[in-house]
Amino acid sequence: MTHRDDTSKLRELDRKHIWHPFTQMQDWRENDFLIIERGKGSYLYDTEGKKYLDGVSSLWVNVHGHRKKELDRAMKRQLGLVAHSTFLGLSNVPAIRLAEELVGIAPAGLNKVYYSDNGSTAVEIALKMAYQYWQHRGKKKNTFITFTNAYHGDTIGSVSVGGIDIFHQIFQPLLFPTHRTHSPYCYRCPLGKSHPGCRLDCLDQLDGLLREESEEIAAVILEPEVQGAAGMITQPEGFVRRVRDICDRHQTLLIFDEVATGFGRTGKMFASEHSGVSPDLLAVAKGITGGYLPLAATLVRDEIYEAFLGKYEENKAFFHGHTYTANPLACEVARENIRLLKEDHFLDQVADRACLLAEGLGRFQELTSVGQIRQRGLMAGIELVADKTTKEEIPSRDKAGIRVIRKARELGAILRPLGNAIVLMPPLSISRRELKKLLEIAFASIRAFERGDV
């Protein structure tokens, strides 16, 4: 354990040299912050020895807990062979075996795997593949349909298909144009409707847009079941199936971004299984290695892959790649992660924890600042409001989410807000006792905010 004086020195160095993501660094420099030193199971430990429940799975990636012995062993086993070799002009054993295993668990029809190293690039690859596919087919389809409140990453392509102004508006001059359609955020529906009318209006809008613009639309991109970064906005039953049907009717490709929802997070291996549909391209990352190493993949249908085949001089290859593509260490850990996910009763355990989470969240409606609670599996968002009746939003200057998570840290849990939404997204392996404790801390932290104690 690091000595308290060392923690102070580390904070000084952090403030001096580091620029943190999604962070107002003026606030950061004025406050003390946690420095994580180690982890075990559902807990993280700071440099002063205090432990915290990892309530957001270290940003939605941790599946089996920290220091899972099987994943540790898989990494060490691969380290004894090779840590990395290029995937340009070569292949490697873990990547080949992982590809077969990914195809085996993915939605039907996705038989080809293109590796990268994070969710943004997995989406970027899907967009570029869809665009180039239509060029090879002799059609000038050169734009995309995306949904309001969408988040697909932070590279320029993925930002172009994003729909959260606080993240994306500043970069508007750099982005390529897209068509945006309404997502069914029924709690704050801009059409003034509620479920199921909201769902139908959103689908009618998508259908009409494709009817008018299908000649130029390369693909529709969707986070199935849950729009994560928007505050865990869940979609009504049947929505994903209807989106697939509309795309088929207009002969348009469908991209699913399951970076956040994949690998058991919603109670199924992939969120699309809830609707029984398959996309044409699928972007996955985050939980693919159980939270150990950066790795991502874009899975595609054979028809798309085959459109890129041709003579060398035709230049039909997909010109995209990364230095650490298909890193053997990451691929071997991902293989072990999938093996653990497929073990008997693991997803049944996730379903059990999801039920416990839903039961525990019911109590939160007692809180005067809780407007809506949204959940799929072990993904939950608690939206805080200034007025439950009018749904008036809390001004950003009040820093409601930040104040709640600071209190949670005092009480022993790491949470992260998305604006005024408090996210609960623990490791899938969390015990019932730990989950109950996490719920107690979240409840107490929101109540402290309401009382002005934070």
Side-chain angles (χ1 to χ4, degrees), residues 159 164-175:
V159 170
I164 302 177
D165 285 346
I166 193 172
F167 296 150
H168 304 144
Q169 190 62 44
I170 188 67
F171 302 109
Q172 194 61 46
L174 303 177
L175 310 181

Side-chain angles (χ1 to χ4, degrees), residues 248-442:
D248 288 345
R249 184 159 63 249
H250 295 286
Q251 298 182 324
T252 301
L253 297 178
L254 177 59
I255 301 168
F256 279 171
D257 175 355
E258 291 226 33
V259 171
T261 56
F263 302 100
R265 182 57 60 180
T266 66
K268 301 283 189 182
M269 191 67 77
F270 295 98
S272 52
E273 292 178 37
H274 291 282
S275 298
V277 302
S278 295
D280 300 296
L281 303 99
L282 174 69
V284 297
K286 287 196 182 294
I288 190 172
T289 65
Y292 268 56
L293 289 164
L295 183 68
T298 306
L299 282 69
V300 303
R301 293 186 180 276
D302 290 332
E303 178 187 353
I304 295 172
Y305 167 82
E306 289 164 2
F308 289 76
L309 302 179
K311 295 180 181 179
Y312 182 84
E313 61 270 22
E314 292 180 285
N315 291 323
K316 293 176 72 175
F318 185 55
F319 292 101
H320 184 110
H322 301 273
T323 303
Y324 282 93
T325 291
N327 171 257
L329 279 177
C331 288
E332 189 62 21
V333 174
R335 292 186 63 223
E336 185 64 17
N337 174 47
I338 290 172
R339 187 190 70 77
L340 292 170
L341 278 167
K342 290 169 66 177
E343 280 188 345
D344 288 345
H345 309 305
F346 185 82
L347 289 180
D348 291 338
Q349 175 183 298
V350 175
D352 172 77
R353 301 300 184 269
C355 288
L356 181 61
L357 178 59
E359 180 183 333
L361 286 170
R363 180 186 175 210
F364 284 63
Q365 292 291 0
E366 303 169 12
L367 296 165
T368 58
S369 63
V370 171
Q372 189 186 40
I373 298 169
R374 302 179 286 268
Q375 181 198 357
R376 284 287 190 280
L378 285 182
M379 303 177 74
I382 305 162
E383 183 168 341
L384 306 181
V385 294
D387 187 291
K388 288 172 80 91
T389 303
T390 65
K391 305 177 186 178
E392 179 187 350
E393 297 187 50
I394 300 173
S396 61
R397 64 177 177 272
D398 290 350
K399 299 182 181 178
I402 291 174
R403 289 159 63 190
V404 169
I405 70 159
R406 283 177 178 165
K407 184 63 177 180
R409 290 183 185 182
E410 288 179 22
L411 299 175
I414 293 174
L415 303 178
R416 184 169 175 82
L418 290 166
N420 288 328
I422 305 301
V423 172
L424 299 182
M425 203 164 172
L428 301 187
S429 59
I430 192 168
S431 71
R432 291 178 65 87
R433 178 183 58 79
E434 290 166 341
L435 183 54
K436 289 177 181 178
K437 181 178 179 182
L438 181 64
L439 285 160
E440 289 170 4
I441 291 173

Side-chain angles (χ1 to χ4, degrees), residues 134 139-143 145 179 207-219 246-247 249-252:
W134 289 115
K139 297 186 178 183
K140 296 182 179 180
K141 291 176 176 277
N142 56 14
T143 190
I145 292 179
H179 295 280
D207 191 41
L209 187 54
L210 274 170
R211 190 182 305 114
E212 294 173 5
E213 308 288 352
S214 62
E215 291 301 312
E216 68 175 53
I217 303 299
I246 291 168
C247 288
R249 184 159 63 249
H250 295 286
Q251 298 182 324
T252 301

